[in-house]
């Protein structure tokens, strides 16, 4: 028997690792065909990022080693392929996956690779194995290979019939992986369809085609049951537009029913349909009722008309966005919005004021800003597109937020990020990064949100002025926050180093985004942070008694480890004033003695648990902030 080893190395998130779904589906397809299993054996899927010397001990007498390539493992794969070639010179080495692209670049650049597969490996790879038996690869579609010193690329195969693909879960592909690794909390992938009708230039999803294709519902439900039986806590739905189809409601109902019966999966996260339809609302509501969701996505990517035109994106109207925010808030469903920094056509002003527009429309709880990355299969990777928009990129160390801080760094992975375009130079890119971090930390995570809302709704200053000024203030501040802020700016200025995550062992052996790191530092040293920030806030002329109430309210409303029931007497009914703003029923700030009491249900025990559960797991649902069910407001007297 000829041994086929698959390599799909993932990222460790604390003690959690995803099951190697992409290669698992290929193994399942191969094992379903007797003409393949009679010739080939599949002894192992290598999925943990270990030292190369340790990985090589597990590869014994290989006929082929096949690598699933993505931005988080491509360099590891190259290094391991070189080791395999040195030890087993006759072993066939095959690359596939998103980072391979649709070109022959990998074969041209990496001499250890013998062939590459394009598109859907479940159909391409079995045909490759069968063709290797007689040595004629020309009849295999969607591959490129070496022959007589030249590179040959075959025609692309048609999209496969998903109804005929076996399941790696149900066919036992992952059974030994789970048994052999009891120390790992595995996460699962759920795929109900393939394809995407949209053509966003920054996305590589359309490598599977624009036409939507569907897996059978009975298979999907059986996979959900398998996850429940194997106690898979986190399930990630990898559809491009979940909620686009009526049957998605049935799938979610089954997920909820399964959790109620078995307790698993505990969380289901997915990519929702772009237009946020009634169906998506019903799905989010259903998941929210049993605590399975991590919030509903109401995303924009950009609010610049020029940038949207350049990336082929069309947004919701602001009126629709505002209505959706109100609807989700009324139902008690957390929402989050996402923007991407670096699109051609975006300027410093358009990007920052776009963020402020979302705040003005009611997105106060959860905003995420990502850096634009050039992916091999995306439209933005086209050389003509790059030249047209004068895109300059930087190759920086890849590091997923919330990954294990002290993981194996024997081999570095890299991201290819947009650093400047014809409309945003490098300095403005740095300023835009700092502004976005400022808003995410001090507004979305709540530190100065009460002050910003008061200043905006009392027509004293707008969000852009407040947060751009705060960023400038922190650059000159002598306190701990200022020191950290200057460190962040230095990292962006010297972006080729790419060390853009915050790490502090106080908050666990985990990396954090800059806004999360700044928030954790501010919350941990709350009194020092207030003392450092107050001089900036005071310059806006807020009456001293209102200012003091806003300070007290902000200190009370943000959760901290070890919190106990406590109360404070305010001169104004600040809690109700802010609640009305969130509910779009803004009323004047009432001067009335108000007892504001915090009633923690389940306090966090320490800072590591708080960071993990309130910020990592719970950021989208504002788990770091007390909501109505954990505080009370009682007016004691009113000044007339």
């Amino acid at each position: 028997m000829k041994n086929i080893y698959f390599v799909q190395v993932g990222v460790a998130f604390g003690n959690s690792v995803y099951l190697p779904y992409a290669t698992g589906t290929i193994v399942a397809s191969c094992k379903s065909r007797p003409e393949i299993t009679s010739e080939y054996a599949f002894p192992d899927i290598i999925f943990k990022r270990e030292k190369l010397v340790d990985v090589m001990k597990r590869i014994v007498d290989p006929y082929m080693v096949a690598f699933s390539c993505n931005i988080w493992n491509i360099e590891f794969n190259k290094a391991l392929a070189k080791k395999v070639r040195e030890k087993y010179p006759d072993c066939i080495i095959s690359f596939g996956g998103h980072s391979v692209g649709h070109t022959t670049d990998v074969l041209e650049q990496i001499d250890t690779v013998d062939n590459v597969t394009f598109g859907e490996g479940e159909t391409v790879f079995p045909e490759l194995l069968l063709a290797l038996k007689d040595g004629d690869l020309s009849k295999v579609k969607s591959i490129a290979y070496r022959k007589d010193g030249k590179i040959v690329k075959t025609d692309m195969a048609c999209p496969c019939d998903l109804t005929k693909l076996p399941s790696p879960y149900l066919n036992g592909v992952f059974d030994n992986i789970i048994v052999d690794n009891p120390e790992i909390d595995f996460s699962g992938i759920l795929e109900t369809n393939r394809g995407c009708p949209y053509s966003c230039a920054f996305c590589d999803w359309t490598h599977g085609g624009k036409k939507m294709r569907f897996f059978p519902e009975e298979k999907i439900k059986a996979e959900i049951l398998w996850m429940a039986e194997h106690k898979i806590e986190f399930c990630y739905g990898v559809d491009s537009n979940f909620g686009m189809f009526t049957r998605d409601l049935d799938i979610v109902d089954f997920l909820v029913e399964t959790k109620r019966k078995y307790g698993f999966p505990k969380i289901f996260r997915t990519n929702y349909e772009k237009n946020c339809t009634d169906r998506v609302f019903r799905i989010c509501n259903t998941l929210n009722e049993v605590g399975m969701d991590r919030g509903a996505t109401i995303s924009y990517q950009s609010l610049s008309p020029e940038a949207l035109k350049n990336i082929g994106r069309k947004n919701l109207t602001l009126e629709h966005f505002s209505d959706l925010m109100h609807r989700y808030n009324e139902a008690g469903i957390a929402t989050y919005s996402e923007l991407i920094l670096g699109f051609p056509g975006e300027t410093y002003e358009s990007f920052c004021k776009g963020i402020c527009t979302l705040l003005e429309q009611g997105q106060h709880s959860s905003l995420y800003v990502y850096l634009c990355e050039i992916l091999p299969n995306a439209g933005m990777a086209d050389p003509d597109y790059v030249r047209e928009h004068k895109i300059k990129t930087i190759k920086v160390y890849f590091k997923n937020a919330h990954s294990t801080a002290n993981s194996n760094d024997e081999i570095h992975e890299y991201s290819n990020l947009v650093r400047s375009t014809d409309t945003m130079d490098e300095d403005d890119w740095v300023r835009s990064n700092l502004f976005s971090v400022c808003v995410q930390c001090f507004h979305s995570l709540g530190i100065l949100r009460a002050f910003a809302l008061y200043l905006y709704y009392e027509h004293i200053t707008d969000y852009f002025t407040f947060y751009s000024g705060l960023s400038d203030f922190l650059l000159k501040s002598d306190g701990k926050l200022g020191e950290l802020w200057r460190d962040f700016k230095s990292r962006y200025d010297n972006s080729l180093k790419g060390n853009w995550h915050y790490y502090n062992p106080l908050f666990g052996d985990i990396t954090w985004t800059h806004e999360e790191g700044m928030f954790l530092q501010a919350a941990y040293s709350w009194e020092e942070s207030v003392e450092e920030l107050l001089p900036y806030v005071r310059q806006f002329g807020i009456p001293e008694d209102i200012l003091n109430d806003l300070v007290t309210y902000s200190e009370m409303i943000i959760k901290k480890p070890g919190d106990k029931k406590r109360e404070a007497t305010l001169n104004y009914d600040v809690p109700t004033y802010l609640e009305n703003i969130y509910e779009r029923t803004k009323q004047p700030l009432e001067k009335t003695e108000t007892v504001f009491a915090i009633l923690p249900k389940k306090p966090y025990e320490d800072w590591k648990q708080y960071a993990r559960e309130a910020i990592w797991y719970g950021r989208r649902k504002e788990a770091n902030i007390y909501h109505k069910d954990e505080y009370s407001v009682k007016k004691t007297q009113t000044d007339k």
Side-chain angles (χ1 to χ4, degrees), residues 504-545:
N504 187 329
L506 282 170
F507 309 120
D509 187 27
I510 294 171
T511 60
W512 305 94
T513 63
H514 283 169
E515 66 272 8
E516 293 167 347
M518 176 66 82
F519 171 83
L520 288 169
Q521 175 61 55
Y524 181 77
S525 306
W526 183 262
E527 291 184 2
E528 291 180 54
S529 301
V530 170
E531 184 178 348
E532 183 174 354
L533 293 168
L534 268 181
Y536 175 71
V537 177
R538 275 202 167 94
Q539 72 183 15
F540 291 96
I542 301 174
E544 197 67 16
D545 54 350

Side-chain angles (χ1 to χ4, degrees), residues 284-464:
C284 293
N285 198 36
T286 299
L287 293 170
N288 188 62
E289 287 176 352
V290 294
M292 285 191 75
D293 68 315
R294 282 200 173 173
T297 315
I298 308 180
S299 294
Y300 263 83
Q301 314 305 342
S302 172
L303 280 88
S304 161
E306 187 67 21
L308 291 172
K309 182 181 74 172
N310 290 336
I311 63 172
R313 177 90 176 188
K314 186 177 181 180
N315 275 340
L316 305 170
T317 66
L318 288 174
E319 182 180 10
H320 189 193
F321 177 87
S322 183
D323 289 343
L324 284 170
M325 287 295 306
H326 183 60
R327 184 180 186 187
Y328 279 93
N329 288 340
E330 277 193 325
I333 302 172
T335 63
Y336 61 96
S337 297
E338 298 169 322
L339 294 170
I340 298 177
L341 171 59
F343 289 147
E346 194 84 79
T347 66
Y348 166 74
E349 186 170 290
S350 72
F351 179 76
C352 297
K353 290 193 174 180
I355 289 177
C356 296
T357 296
L358 295 183
L359 303 184
E360 291 163 6
Q361 299 302 317
Q363 179 51 284
H364 300 295
S365 59
S366 192
L367 176 71
Y368 289 78
V369 176
Y370 303 102
L371 298 178
C372 183
E373 181 156 3
I374 303 293
L375 302 173
N377 293 321
M380 289 185 72
D382 185 282
D384 291 337
Y385 188 99
V386 172
R387 283 191 293 270
E388 178 185 356
H389 299 289
K390 299 180 181 177
I391 295 173
K392 292 183 179 179
T393 60
I394 46 174
K395 184 179 179 181
V396 301
Y397 287 160
F398 173 87
K399 189 72 173 180
N400 259 347
H402 312 136
S403 59
T404 305
N406 296 320
S407 60
N408 171 28
D409 286 327
E410 178 185 15
I411 300 156
H412 290 294
E413 304 296 340
Y414 296 92
S415 292
N416 190 29
L417 302 179
V418 173
R419 181 66 161 81
S420 65
T421 67
D422 55 352
T423 56
M424 181 180 287
D425 64 21
E426 295 181 356
D427 289 339
D428 280 349
W429 181 83
V430 172
R431 293 169 65 209
S432 298
N433 269 295
L434 291 174
F435 184 87
S436 74
V437 171
C438 199
V439 172
Q440 290 174 86
C441 171
F442 294 99
H443 196 94
S444 298
L445 288 167
I447 296 174
L448 293 179
R449 187 197 300 174
F451 298 90
L453 290 172
Y454 174 82
L455 291 169
Y456 178 80
Y457 280 94
E458 298 306 315
H459 307 290
I460 298 172
T461 194
D462 56 40
Y463 296 123
F464 178 76

Side-chain angles (χ1 to χ4, degrees), residues 294 402 507 510 512 520 559 602-625:
R294 282 200 173 173
H402 312 136
F507 309 120
I510 294 171
W512 305 94
L520 288 169
K559 295 180 180 180
K602 188 180 178 182
Y604 298 103
E605 295 178 3
D606 55 38
W607 282 99
K608 290 182 180 179
Q609 182 198 23
Y610 175 82
R612 182 177 65 253
E613 296 183 12
I615 304 303
W616 178 8
Y617 300 167
R619 177 178 167 185
R620 286 182 170 88
K621 303 186 75 171
E622 285 191 301
N624 66 311
I625 291 177

Side-chain angles (χ1 to χ4, degrees), residues 19 55-56 90 108 229 237 260 292 391 434 445 486 522 524 543 552 558 588-589 595:
L19 287 165
V55 176
M56 286 300 299
D90 295 329
E108 294 167 7
E229 291 165 357
R260 284 178 170 149
M292 285 191 75
I391 295 173
L434 291 174
L445 288 167
R486 287 187 293 276
Y524 181 77
T552 301
I558 293 179
L589 177 60
V595 177

